[in-house]
Amino acid sequence: IVVTGCGSGKTQEAPAAGNASAANNVSIGMVTDIGGVNDNSFNQSAWEGLKAFSAAKDAKVDYLQSQSDADYIPNLNQFVKDGRSLTWGIGFMMGDAVKQVADQNKSAKLAIIDAVVDAPNVESVTFKENEGSYLVGVVAGLMTKTGKIGFVGGSEIPVIKRFEIGFTEGVKAVNPSAKVVINYTGAFNAPDQGKATAATMYNDGVDIIFHAAGSTGDGVFNEAIERKKKNKDIWVIGVDKDQSLTFGNEVTLTSMVKRVDHAVNQISNQVAKGEFKGGIQELGLAENGVGLPENNPNIPEDVLKKVQDYAVKIVHGDIQVPTVTE
Amino acid sequence: MSKLIYWLFKESSLVSLIAIGIGLLLGSLIMLAGGYNPLLAYGSLFGKAFGDVYNTGETIRQITPFIFTGLSVAFAFRTGLFNIGAEGQFIMGALAADFVGISLHMPWYIHVPLAVVAGGLLGGLWGSIAGYLKAVRGVHEVITTIMLNWIALYLSNYLIKAWLLEPGQMRSKVVDKSAWLSSAGLSELFGGSRIHYGIVLALALAAVFYVVLWKTKQGFELRAVGLNPDASEYAGIQVNRNVIKAMFISGVFAGVGGVCEVLGVFHYQAVNTAFPGYGLMGIAVALIGRNSPVGAILGAVLIGVLTYGASGMKFGAGVPEELVSIMIALIIFFVAANQIVKQLLKLTAKNKKEVL
Amino acid sequence: MQQEHIAVEMLGITKRFPGIVANDSISFKVGKGEIHALLGENGAGKSTLMNILFGLYQPDEGEIRINGRSVQIADPKTAIELGIGMIHQHFMLVESYTVVQNIILGTEPKKGLSIDYSRAEHKVRELSERYGLQVEPGQLIGDISVGMQQRVEILKTLYRGADILIFDEPTAVLTPQEIQDLMAIMKNMVNEGKTIILITHKLKEIMAVCDGVTIIRRGKVIDSVSVRETSPDELASKMVGRQVSFAVDKKEANPQEAILKLHRVTALDNRGIPALKQLSLELRRGEILGIAGVEGNGQRELIEVLTGLRRVQSGEIRLHGKPVHNATPRQIAESRVGYIPEDRQKRGLVLDFTVSENSVLKSYYFPDFRRHTFLDYDKMSRHANRLIREFDIRTPSEHTPARALSGGNQQKIIIAREVDGDPDVLIATQPTRGLDVGAIEFIHKKLVEQRDKGKAVLLYSLELDEIMNLSDRIAVMYEGTIVGIVDPRTTDEQQIGLMMSGSAVRQGEEST
Amino acid sequence: MQFLQMTGELMHTTIVFATALVFASLGALYSERAGVANIALEGLMTVGAFTAAIVTYFVETQLGGGAVSPWIGFAAAVAAGTIFAVPHAVASVTYKADQIVSGVALNFLAIGITIYLCKVILHGAAQTPTLKAVFTKWDIPFLSEIPFLGHAVFSAYPTSYLAFMLVAVSVFVLYKTPFGLRLRAVGEHPKAADSMAISVSKMRYMAVMISGALAAMGGATVTLTTTSNFSHSTISGQGYIALAALIFGKWRPVAGMCAALFFGIASALKSVFQVHGITDYIPVDFIYIFPYALTILVLAGFVGRAVAPAALGKPYEKGQR
Ligand SMILES: Nc1ncnc2c1ncn2[C@@H]1O[C@H](COP(=O)(O)OP(=O)(O)OP(=O)(O)O)[C@@H](O)[C@H]1O
Ligand SMILES: Nc1ncnc2c1ncn2[C@@H]1O[C@H](COP(=O)(O)OP(=O)(O)OP(=O)(O)O)[C@@H](O)[C@H]1O
Ligand SMILES: [Mg+2]
Ligand SMILES: [Mg+2]
């Protein structure tokens, strides 16, 4: 089972299946990978966006959790054949499945996060993670005391690569002598590996770790919390959501927020208004798709100022953040 | 046909049937305890599995790999070996088919058989590693096959990334159409589902299972070695060679299963961080099917329907899909501890006599 | 006998197993300080009766009295508490444990939380001296002789304070010398006030040490007699219900040329220690050559090198003049060697195969049993049916799994298969072990028949009587070599027994 | 210096990963020494991991358990593991089922039932929230100050100390006490034990339940020291590795512990190698393969034919001849 996406967050109350009642006849389905909508991560963020949409528009929303990657297509089909107004596929790995279902059902509308599907009836949403990661890289570069910074990724897939490259570029821009230690754990669901990796990095002199590894990243936080209790001067930069809400401000320096919930909500709204067009949406800093959270109590004013400056440059195109290593 | 009915109702099969019954019954009790409606749940489970042609096709698609791995485990069982490694053999079979499908280009009537043979061979070889270690070095196959599963997983990941990767994806390139086991026609017939000709191959292999084991001299040797290696050695049968052979054939069954998933369902192989789980389910299938080819088919149908229908149960009755794993576990448990079931049988038999 | 002098009394004991009444209202009593024998054919129900006395089985009906008191023996624990001890037909010893550990198992003396081994050892030594049961407390069971293992078994019961000892066929595995020692030990124990129940098939032993004997046939008591008032012949006929002759009925042998020759063969045992040392031997057509020896002197290895189951380190084996050492079992079988293995359930049969499949275990691949490339089960069935008729195998059908047959009939399948292959050499190892008189008679007849047809028969048995009765020549093995070849007509058991223990070497007329 | 640093790091991480394996393989030792094969280790660990997570979570959030919460979770896991092992004993001891099959069934059951309960208890969530109250490392005074070694060995989770202590206790129990003598006798020659008035099934039930308790400690260790939550992938193969460690150690407690440590090294290598840049030379997949391949090589080569308890895997039938 390939796990997609990353992020973290917490909500306890989530209905088992969807909310019924479809006054305006808009009904939307969402297919997740094996993690399900309570994965503290990507799927959860998407489902929160859909629930927000449902609450605002009184629309019917449901999700189906896949038990294996063979389930993606039947699950998507379940919604498509049910005549849903829109069917979401959440995550990079669902690209092929969405493509196939879209081709077989030309009249159905589908949308996907993190992958580009070339079909007229599919809306593909990707994020410019490199841009947001650049900004947290600036924070890390300015705030490191040891000159050693860590990056912990899940699998080496293009999405995560964008995080890594944006981040290192950001660090380089403000602190060329700093060293970024990069580690892919190979999984998004292995907090034990995340924890061991973080321990190794911190022992090696790293004082700030940025993770883009789903619940593997929870392990990074756990290690940091344990060390913070012993008054070690170390930080974690969270991902996808404002992870200080989950892990507290003692260890969370900031987070690279990726607004999957916004994207899901927004596109679902378009469908509700009959404005679905299909195609590709790339959400970056300019579109407010990625960025830092509102509150950053741990970042000094001057650093935040610097971050603001770089953000402006990126939005204006003065800085082109690469997505692949040249 | 009457033979089949006889086979279904002789005691050993009856044990399976009753175990299934107990599994479903306990499943409903658990649902009741969780505040769900079991009738609604089973209704939506079977509704999902057989509700329309599309889902029926998908159910068959789900059943197919279980037949292969079930045959694999059952064959090993028949020869006295416990093959927990169908998972790894499945992956290696898929890898070989993926390689042949992507790297070679030829007409379908060569391409498909070549991919199937390559996958079967690699799966078989992977199995025979465990056979070799058991025969020559005396290492128990349960341990080696478990280890080989993980090795297969990571090795195939590495090889896909090294040779076959579709740039920007965590999967291989797509195999040539000429190697596909799926056809638009068949798919159309089943509402666009991913049913493929692997099911035919699976049924054919079930027949091969029967013929090899009970109609050939190799089969005689394999069974003898499985039941009593000492007596086999005494009778001049080469025990070591037969252990390796048995694991090879067992691996072929699983390997071809992997081939069919690649050529029939996905048309590529993904870089996986966890097992697809067909091998482990093969154990359940074989046990429920009393290690016979027909049993494996029926066992695969049961497991396939339950696992595919699980999401229907979730959708229709809110019951978590994991309930299906619990039921499957209970079924295996009662098949294994068949003395419990037999005791129940005896009790009911006694009651019947008293009534008569 | 007066009531207070009775140690054990069993009254109307009935025990049924599915399809058989193993004990059918059995009653008998044993006086205190008596050695009482239980005599009966295989399957007569002796072990079952004693297992009931020891609490391993529960009787369906009947009453047990110990020292005059009626008791319920629910489990071995109760039996032990009542002062009953049992030395089982098959030893109940943990191989990887020491002598002391085996003896104290279940009633360990403690010091704090741990076992007090020094106290245990002390007590074991004390007991062993008192009863003349010489053992080495610290040794592992796997490393000591069968005779010593039996002494450990006896000490186990004495350690638990047993006054009533049950011996189930204790002499079956012992050498003549060890048997004599055991008899002395038994006498000794009786003198110390113990009571003994002895199960044995050997009339000689009963006559030598027992006071009384109870004869059981088909689960029923036939008679209880005092040994002083009976004779072996009388006991034997009571046991089987007809007159039996102990001598095997056979003509003079007519030995011809040597067909199987071993020359300076050496081989290792499973632990890698030399088990055969420069062994030379010849087997001739038209004779039965018996191999005698105490268990563990290389007999098993000898048979295994002959049948291709064990590698030869050096030396050569020739069959029909052609070298066959280190040939595979199949090559040897195909050079017309038949082999009746020692352990029929482990080696001789695939118990879950049908009678028919077992009957072709060595010939399933012959064209006779094939149609085109596939096996033809009908042909196998016909073949099996013929054997079932010719060898009088009692089975519901040829499709019955061998597991469902009785021991004697299982053995007959093997004999049928091996003899029907028309071998030039027939190797028979312990062919009658655990069988009753009727079955033994049948098998002996078959072996002699083979000899008379001009085949060469190699017989290995731990029963000296069997070797003496059947063989035309006897080769005695000791520590991996043949220490002598003797003519059974001109030697006695005493002499062979001495050779077996390595203390006398007598060269036969044509020794190698 | 770099090398010393790396070795110390490796030892430290090794102990973290090995602890769960030490517990579980020690558990299997009891069961297998009594003659009951225990492939259910994986499932027992899963149950332990789940129980520890869910109980700790509720004690922490609902009862305000604070720092004792993980201990309560740990104890609950032990109880749950003990109970969950009972079906395995019932099937394989009382009903003479194939022990491996019964174990496999239990593994299926464990993963199904834990996630099912998780969803039922946590309103649909397939994993528990991240625990705040988990075990923290104990620094042994003075000893932990020793350069490199101190950090590597004497700054460990309480569970690690407990695991190594239990190894010592087990050596005593198995080899010095009447209980141990009887337990091993039951695994070697149940009939002999039976005839000495030792109840084979009672011993085997106890052994299987002890193994459940210990394996659950292993599972609890994983959630309470490394993952801080429970999900379907919390226990993914550790049970099988623990079983391999047991066999690797030839069914002996100290050797089994060493084998567990060895597998711990293999897991630790993954992160240590990556952080220190060794993966630039060896593909990371090969590092993943390493422990499994080594297990096979070792079992095939160096260990030779390990002698399993003689009656391992064989149901004992009273009165069978
Ligand atoms: N556990 C059992 N289940 C079924 N039948 C049994 C069992 N034990 C013994 N029997 C049967 O009961 C009968 C008596 O067996 P028992 O072992 O008491 O004979 P025995 O007189 O000791 O014979 P032997 O001289 O061969 O030791 C036999 O027919 C045997 O098959
Ligand atoms: N444990 C058992 N369970 C069920 N049936 C048994 C058992 N042991 C023996 N039997 C049955 O009891 C009968 C007698 O078996 P046993 O081996 O004791 O024969 P026997 O009296 O020794 O005969 P033979 O002289 O042929 O060896 C057989 O029909 C056998 O199938
Ligand atoms: Mg007997
Ligand atoms: Mg008998």
Side-chain angles (χ1 to χ4, degrees), chain C residues 17 20 22 41-48 57 89 169 201, chain D residues 319 321:
Chain C
F17 288 116
I20 188 161
E41 290 178 274
N42 290 120
K46 309 176 294 285
S47 298
T48 305
Y57 293 157
Q89 197 166 355
E169 295 195 39
H201 292 290
Chain D
R321 300 179 302 162

Side-chain angles (χ1 to χ4, degrees), chain B residues 113-129:
Chain B
L114 190 69
V116 171
V117 168
L121 270 180
L122 195 61
L125 286 175
W126 203 250
S128 55
I129 296 175

Side-chain angles (χ1 to χ4, degrees), chain A residues 39 183-185 195 203 226, chain D residues 9 127 157 225 228 274 288:
Chain A
D39 66 345
N183 190 334
Y184 282 92
T185 57
K195 190 166 185 182
N203 283 337
E226 212 179 307
Chain D
E9 197 57 51
Q127 59 189 150
Y157 291 105
T225 66
S228 298
Q274 279 198 49
Y288 294 160

Side-chain angles (χ1 to χ4, degrees), chain C residues 259-276:
Chain C
I259 178 169
L260 180 68
K261 291 185 187 170
L262 287 83
H263 183 64
R264 303 171 81 86
V265 169
T266 56
L268 306 179
D269 67 10
N270 289 340
R271 292 166 298 174
I273 300 165
L276 298 181

